[in-house]
Amino acid sequence: MSYKAICLALLLATATVALASQDPELQQCKQQCHSQRHADDKQIRQCEDRCEDYHRNDRSPIQKLRECNRDCERRQQEERRREDCQRRCQERYEKETQSYDQKYQKQTTNNPYVFEDRHFVTGMQTQHGRLRILQQFTERSDLLRGIDNYRVAVLEAQPQTFIVPSHLDAQILVFVARGRGAVNMVREERRESFNIKQGDIFRIHAGTTTYLVNRDNNERLVLVKLIQPVNTPGQFEQFYGAGGQNPESYFKAFSDEILEAAFNVDGQRVKRLFGQQRQGAIIKASSEQIRSMSQHQEGGIWPFGGESKGTHNIYDQRPIYNNKYGQYYEVESSQFRQLRDLDIAISFSNMSQGAMTAPFYNSKATKIAVVVEGEGYFEMACPHLSQSQSQRQRQRQSRRSEEEEEEEESYRPRGESTTSYKTVRSRLRTGTVVVVPAGHPFVAVASNNQNLQILSFKVNADNNEQFTLAGKRNVMNQLEREAKELAFGMPAREVEEVLRSQKEEFFFEGPGRRADA
């Protein structure tokens, strides 16, 4: 090898080391490559190559578009040239968006805990809005059968629109992710009406006929729903009474003679009543109509006396955790009585740019998390996927007979640890749904260019405890000194130096922002 070639190789090696030291996320990725069990040198090198490739291409198309437009503003003084530059940025963005989505789809294909746009189906749609419904959780993996009787749906309605009255054969818990609206729930002799705004939580009981309006002139109304069917597990239906051809009214299923007798009018009038509506389930309304259906107090009016049964706003209470890196809110059944018989709690995290949560887990609650706004990524420790991969590897590589393996398994000491963990990792962006099973340590990280907001429905929330694994409330700090020495195989002083170094609580400076990482 020539002198120049040697110098070039050293230069490239130095650049690679420097890059890893400057980017802690890349460094962490490579460290995980070396910590993999049973990995040989070739597999470790391949893993490191994947880390490098991921790091080089990690910016989303929208981030690249913003950077490109900023360059146009800086470099192009003439307005025409600046517009041409920005047009080229837009064209490049549209091309990269398609390839980015394909890469993103490949990343989540084998991850049963992550759900993207392609996992939703359209329940209803007009030019004024739509309802998207997430597939059943067990369609993705049997690991999620504990929450198979829950569904997630997202309703989006354009400004000044009306959602036609309907009811579901399901309990519904609703979070207002964006906008302002009004809700009307009707029963035989009363109507409950209340206005809603961002951060509100409210419940719709199974079978309750409900209609909504978006009372804002400019902003979309976005509602995130957790649906619990009451008939067939995991399956629910929407029933429209008021309607006609589109949406079709369930009254059209009855015979003419039944409808004539029930309404005590002739058949032609009944047919006309249920044959006019053809605009769909989300339609435009006039300003006067919207105003008339929105003359309610924020949070609710119960016109027949007694306590208001309207909404609870998650932002009206003090955050459980609050520092410059983020805020964490949680609403339990003791704070909002509509949650009492559902065994569900609701939490909301707002992480600052470049911040992260502490690693943490829930003792008995499974968390269904929905990214309301922003970008980032998460990591989770999962023993189930690691066990599945280990089993497949044993099947491919083992030369022993099934009888010999069964004999070994039967004589394995019960106290021997065979648990290993797979790192479940995926990008987060607006609309992503992530399931975090009980007991699984989880951490979320916000991107460096925008906040990350995550709404979480906690199923099996009664008597659940949330344990943090770093920071002021690190549960490991509660271990006795002797227990620390025995568990970690190190002097207690060294263990405590590590466990107590993080002075913040729950929200920290993320790996991409740490200068000393």
Side-chain angles (χ1 to χ4, degrees), residues 49-82:
D49 289 341
R50 288 194 295 271
C51 290
E52 292 279 2
D53 180 66
Y54 188 89
H55 174 264
R56 284 192 299 269
N57 299 286
D58 197 30
R59 294 175 302 160
S60 69
I62 190 64
Q63 290 173 292
K64 294 179 181 178
L65 175 63
R66 291 169 182 156
E67 293 173 4
C68 186
N69 284 331
R70 284 197 293 268
D71 288 340
C72 294
E73 292 289 341
R74 286 197 302 267
R75 297 179 181 179
Q76 303 296 339
Q77 300 299 323
E78 294 183 13
E79 183 176 354
R80 177 177 295 181
R81 290 186 177 181
R82 186 164 59 247

Side-chain angles (χ1 to χ4, degrees), residues 283-413:
I283 58 180
K284 193 73 175 177
S286 68
S287 299
E288 292 75 15
Q289 291 170 325
I290 294 293
R291 190 178 305 111
S292 177
M293 290 184 286
S294 304
Q295 293 177 352
H296 318 301
Q297 295 177 359
E298 298 288 349
I301 292 178
W302 189 248
F304 299 94
E307 181 185 353
S308 169
K309 298 184 179 181
T311 68
H312 182 97
N313 193 280
I314 201 166
Y315 303 125
D316 286 347
Q317 58 194 59
R318 292 184 60 185
I320 297 175
Y321 305 111
N322 184 19
N323 59 26
K324 64 181 179 180
Y325 301 113
Q327 300 81 39
Y328 178 88
Y329 304 85
E330 184 162 311
V331 176
E332 300 176 337
S333 59
S334 60
Q335 298 159 308
F336 186 38
R337 69 189 189 93
Q338 296 278 19
L339 300 175
R340 287 178 185 173
D341 62 324
L342 295 178
D343 196 10
I344 291 173
I346 297 178
S347 67
F348 186 86
S349 296
N350 177 31
M351 280 171 275
S352 303
Q353 298 177 15
M356 63 177 286
T357 66
F360 69 97
Y361 68 90
N362 289 286
S363 61
K364 64 186 288 285
T366 293
K367 184 170 72 171
I368 303 172
V370 182
V371 179
V372 174
E373 190 171 340
E375 291 184 348
Y377 68 94
F378 81 91
E379 291 185 1
M380 181 176 72
C382 179
H384 306 298
L385 297 183
S386 180
Q387 290 171 4
S388 300
Q389 290 186 349
S390 298
Q391 290 170 359
R392 290 195 296 269
Q393 187 175 13
R394 285 200 301 270
Q395 290 172 359
R396 289 194 302 266
Q397 297 179 351
S398 177
R399 297 179 180 177
R400 296 173 297 179
S401 66
E402 292 184 4
E403 292 80 7
E404 290 174 332
E405 188 162 341
E406 288 176 1
E407 183 178 356
E408 179 180 326
E409 292 287 339
S410 65
Y411 285 102
R412 177 179 289 136

Side-chain angles (χ1 to χ4, degrees), residues 427-439:
R427 302 298 300 178
L428 297 173
R429 59 180 177 181
T430 302
T432 302
V433 178
V434 179
V435 176
V436 184

